[in-house]
Amino acid sequence: PARDIEVTTTAAAASALLEVATKKGKFNKKIAVNPAKANMDIFKKLYPAGYALCPGCPIALQLTFTEAPRASFLNGGIEFGFNKTVVAVTALNNASDYINIFSVFLDAEGGVTNITITNGANTTIDFDVSLPVLKMTEDKASTPGFVIGLVIDALHFLVQKVVVPAFDKDFKGIVLPAIPGIAFSGVELKFVEDTIRLALDATFEL
């Protein structure tokens, strides 16, 4: 049946938006790691020189995207990837200053799955993020002479087992903006031939 409002976009259009957002630095984020899960102690034996800069300190990952992420729409979900993203491992000292410990370049392939929609007063779109494919390489300029093999393994574990699960747990979904005098209902997302369609009904409350 026909819906009151339908919005359709393609992967190509989404990629263009991602390009613009990347140039504006919209994806550059600092992600704090829960100290109860991991802190600088994970680098105590793997990278003693780095550990000595801030023993036992909380960790934050600074992400800087040098290239725009790419996305494709598939049946029931979204696949995405990005290359040459700089991941800087920083430590928060007692003076509340972030100290750069080392950096790596990150290539990743992932997906958005388990998309659910909760209709109601605050219609919410929720989903999980997965990053099954991660490749990290050393940023030699940040750590000259640094043998990074085992440290990359530790960072890989940190991203896969701490950062991504924490995001999925804490993410509360995307709430559709409320418009005074209009109530939305029956919101649904459909993925067809590399397009995504948002459909909903609207009731005008006079």
Side-chain angles (χ1 to χ4, degrees), residues 32-42 56-60 154 157-158 162:
V33 176
N34 184 344
K37 297 291 185 180
N39 59 28
M40 279 296 293
D41 288 348
I42 66 173
C57 294
I59 296 171
F157 172 85
L158 193 64
V162 178

Side-chain angles (χ1 to χ4, degrees), residues 71-182:
S72 59
F73 305 141
L74 305 174
N75 290 333
I78 301 171
E79 288 189 352
F80 62 86
F82 46 85
N83 298 100
K84 298 181 180 178
T85 297
V86 179
V87 180
V89 176
T90 64
L92 182 63
N93 65 17
N94 292 331
S96 298
D97 295 323
Y98 283 99
I99 302 171
N100 289 325
I101 306 301
F102 65 90
S103 300
V104 297
F105 295 111
L106 173 65
D107 297 341
E109 301 287 342
V112 173
T113 58
N114 299 327
I115 299 174
T116 59
I117 299 175
T118 303
N119 284 282
N122 294 307
T123 299
T124 304
I125 301 174
D126 199 2
F127 52 81
D128 292 332
V129 171
S130 63
L131 286 174
V133 180
L134 290 177
K135 179 183 178 183
M136 298 181 188
T137 55
E138 179 182 357
D139 177 5
K140 294 184 179 179
S142 77
T143 50
F146 177 33
V147 179
I148 200 171
L150 292 176
V151 176
I152 282 184
D153 289 342
L155 185 56
H156 189 285
F157 172 85
L158 193 64
V159 172
Q160 290 280 36
K161 302 299 183 181
V162 178
V163 175
V164 172
F167 172 85
D168 286 337
K169 180 181 178 182
D170 296 337
F171 180 64
K172 304 304 181 184
I174 299 172
V175 179
L176 295 187
I179 300 177
I182 302 177

Side-chain angles (χ1 to χ4, degrees), residues 172-194:
K172 304 304 181 184
I174 299 172
V175 179
L176 295 187
I179 300 177
I182 302 177
F184 296 128
S185 62
V187 178
E188 63 177 354
L189 287 174
K190 289 188 177 181
F191 301 86
V192 181
E193 296 180 356
D194 220 22

